[in-house]
Amino acid sequence: MEAMHMVALEIRLLAEKADRELVMSGKNPDKLQAAGSFLMKVFGALAVKGPKRVGALYVTCQLFKIYFRLGTVNLCRSVIRSIETARNFDFEDFPVKDKVTYMYYTGRLEVFNENFLVADQKLTYALMHCNPQSESNLRKILKFLIPVKLSIGVLPRRTLLEKYNLLEYADIVTSLRRGDLRLLKQALDRHEDQLLKCGVYLVLEKLELQVYRRLVKKIHIIQREKEPSKAHQIKLEVLVKTLQWLGITMDVDEVECIMACLIYKNLIKGYFAHKSKVLVLSKQDPFPKLNGKPV
């Protein structure tokens, strides 16, 4: 099995090197794709009953690395189906390092598909079982786990971001805490290339609704202190002026559309008094918990 592992690894690494040389000489880089086809045959030979099947997950992980490099992640599905539905596989029988790699890549796939609860489970498994001495691997996992956690309302501490050099998320986390839409936009613009390359930009961009939610919640808290009897009634004009103070120009109709979206997505509970342009929040639990902890 160790020999098989070495052959599978070397096939991938040599194919990557060959493709780089082909690109430099102006030729079509097709060696990595061919390596994927060959390793798929190896996987088929291992995916049978008996002691050989313990090596199937290692080959699967090599295939994942090839498919992600080539941008053909849709090909991962057939391999995942074989692993997760076949009766002759017991996931816990595989080596820990292979399970961690498998969960990392399948977690990334779930991030791309916006299945955040499943992605959270898989990436958390990878994080909890990863070698604690391997900081580079922990950082790779956290790079995807943090956007997932943010999407379900769980905010990381700054000490974690500093420890693993993931400060590109620092201002995004702060914007969620403050309800500061301007800070979120600035952070996304500043790190756009890095986040696009990583594949999490669109996930983070959708946090905008959570920032609006936090902003409404802060206004609600202030009104509750100043005028408790009308704390649940927020004039849309107040939201317009708040956004103007943040440097964001919107009219009342645009703000009303955003608030309607928050209500529809169950990020806040309430309704509109359309004639008076007032958002009326539910007196009981106006800001329901997200799938994780409340933002």
Side-chain angles (χ1 to χ4, degrees):
M1 198 55 66
E2 287 181 17
M4 187 281 298
H5 283 187
M6 185 57 69
V7 169
L9 174 64
E10 289 296 327
I11 284 173
R12 179 177 66 82
L13 295 178
L14 286 169
E16 288 177 358
K17 186 176 180 181
D19 275 357
R20 285 194 294 270
E21 292 188 6
L22 285 169
V23 169
M24 289 174 66
S25 60
K27 296 178 181 177
N28 181 37
D30 58 356
K31 300 303 179 186
L32 193 58
Q33 185 177 353
S37 299
F38 179 78
L39 287 177
M40 196 64 195
K41 294 177 182 177
V42 176
F43 174 81
L46 295 171
V48 294
K49 290 182 179 180
K52 286 193 293 185
R53 69 179 183 274
V54 75
L57 200 63
Y58 183 85
V59 176
T60 297
C61 295
Q62 296 303 317
L63 285 166
F64 284 167
K65 291 175 182 180
I66 290 172
Y67 296 153
F68 272 79
R69 174 64 70 91
L70 293 174
T72 55
V73 293
N74 57 303
L75 297 177
C76 295
R77 289 293 166 199
S78 61
V79 189
I80 292 170
R81 204 176 302 117
S82 299
I83 293 289
E84 296 187 355
T85 61
R87 294 179 181 178
N88 54 321
F89 288 125
D90 185 346
F91 191 71
E92 293 308 316
D93 289 343
F94 293 116
V96 174
K97 64 177 184 178
D98 294 344
K99 290 189 288 186
V100 168
T101 306
Y102 178 84
M103 285 298 197
Y104 166 70
Y105 279 104
T106 53
R108 283 182 63 179
L109 283 172
E110 298 300 345
V111 174
F112 296 152
N113 294 326
E114 297 188 6
N115 296 327
F116 296 128
L117 287 178
V118 179
D120 181 34
Q121 292 169 2
K122 289 179 177 291
L123 291 169
T124 300
Y125 181 100
L127 185 71
M128 297 303 290
H129 292 82
C130 184
N131 182 350
Q133 305 301 319
S134 181
E135 287 205 6
S136 62
N137 286 341
L138 291 169
R139 185 178 184 276
K140 285 179 182 178
I141 296 166
L142 286 168
K143 193 179 284 188
F144 292 93
L145 183 57
I146 287 171
V148 168
K149 290 290 189 184
L150 293 177
S151 297
I152 60 175
V154 182
L155 308 187
R157 294 176 182 172
R158 187 176 178 87
T159 51
L160 178 79
L161 302 180
E162 290 174 349
K163 180 178 179 180
Y164 292 101
N165 191 25
L166 291 166
L167 291 173
E168 62 267 28
Y169 295 123
D171 283 344
I172 295 170
V173 173
T174 303
S175 72
L176 283 164
R177 292 190 193 280
R178 292 181 185 171
D180 190 339
L181 196 65
R182 176 173 53 188
L183 185 61
L184 176 67
K185 289 181 180 294
Q186 288 173 348
L188 290 175
D189 288 344
R190 188 162 56 251
H191 301 289
E192 183 177 356
D193 291 342
Q194 187 178 356
L195 297 172
L196 281 170
K197 187 177 179 181
C198 187
V200 296
Y201 181 86
L202 293 177
V203 174
L204 295 169
E205 193 177 41
K206 290 181 180 179
L207 294 174
E208 191 174 295
L209 285 176
Q210 287 191 32
V211 178
Y212 280 115
R213 178 184 190 268
R214 180 63 179 168
L215 185 62
V216 173
K217 189 173 184 178
K218 291 186 81 171
I219 294 171
H220 172 65
I221 291 168
I222 293 168
Q223 287 195 175
R224 190 172 60 197
E225 292 174 355
K226 292 177 66 177
E227 198 174 356
S229 62
K230 292 186 177 180
H232 62 292
Q233 297 177 15
I234 298 177
K235 292 181 179 178
L236 295 183
E237 191 61 40
V238 172
L239 284 163
V240 170
K241 288 180 180 178
T242 306
L243 290 167
Q244 284 176 348
W245 181 76
L246 289 169
I248 296 165
T249 304
M250 284 190 187
D251 59 28
V252 172
D253 290 337
E254 287 175 298
V255 171
E256 186 174 344
C257 285
I258 291 166
M259 294 304 109
C261 192
L262 291 176
I263 293 170
Y264 174 74
K265 290 182 175 290
N266 202 36
L267 289 169
I268 61 176
K269 288 183 180 178
Y271 64 91
F272 283 115
H274 186 71
K275 287 185 179 179
S276 53
K277 299 293 182 182
V278 172
L279 171 65
V280 182
L281 296 172
S282 170
K283 290 185 178 181
Q284 290 188 342
D285 193 23
F287 303 96
K289 287 184 179 181
L290 302 177
N291 293 319
K293 298 175 183 176
V295 174

